[in-house]
Amino acid sequence: SFETDTIVHGKYLAFEVKGDSMDDGSRGSFEEGDRILVRELDKIHWTEGLRYKDYPFWVVVFDSSVLIKQIINQDINKGIVTFHSLNKSPEYSDFTLDIDRIRGLYYVLQKKPKIVKF
């Protein structure tokens, strides 16, 4: 469960992070096993300009992929969004997606670190 100060109308989901593409070893990164609370951004708002400076981390659904990434740019005129991984490994290089290929966008509201048992 997640606690929040305010609830805005919309669709909320929780995801468990898999993999290490968003783990750079910093406190703000996402480790495998972390759980995140996200809110769906309705598709009608995608072309108005994503508020990626207010909400830098997003779950993006496209093709058969569901990824957590940082949005670093949006070209509204071309309809292209640029995604970034925190992990500096070359296999996780930045990539762009045409907005028409995206099936879902969810901005991250909260992160719960994985439970470590000693």
Side-chain angles (χ1 to χ4, degrees), residues 31-100:
E31 295 180 13
E32 184 160 339
D34 288 350
R35 293 171 194 250
I36 55 173
L37 175 67
V38 300
R39 181 175 180 265
E40 182 178 31
L41 181 64
D42 197 301
K43 194 169 188 165
I44 62 171
H45 300 294
W46 296 1
T47 57
E48 299 170 1
L50 303 172
R51 292 176 46 197
Y52 62 89
K53 292 190 177 165
D54 295 327
Y55 301 100
F57 301 110
W58 295 72
V59 170
V60 58
V61 180
F62 65 99
D63 301 333
S64 62
S65 299
V66 178
L67 304 174
I68 179 172
K69 295 294 171 196
Q70 181 179 22
I71 293 179
I72 57 171
N73 193 33
Q74 180 184 18
D75 186 326
I76 295 172
N77 296 325
K78 293 181 180 178
I80 295 173
V81 181
T82 305
F83 295 92
H84 174 75
S85 297
L86 296 178
N87 189 322
K88 300 287 187 216
S89 178
E91 67 192 273
Y92 302 125
S93 59
D94 294 352
F95 65 95
T96 59
L97 281 176
D98 188 293
I99 210 153
D100 292 332

Side-chain angles (χ1 to χ4, degrees), residues 16-23 29-35 68 92 111-116:
E16 183 175 328
V17 175
K18 300 286 185 191
D20 65 350
S21 73
M22 292 301 287
D23 187 0
S29 67
F30 299 85
E31 295 180 13
E32 184 160 339
D34 288 350
R35 293 171 194 250
I68 179 172
Y92 302 125
K111 174 183 80 164
K112 275 193 171 182
K114 66 181 176 181
I115 297 172
V116 178

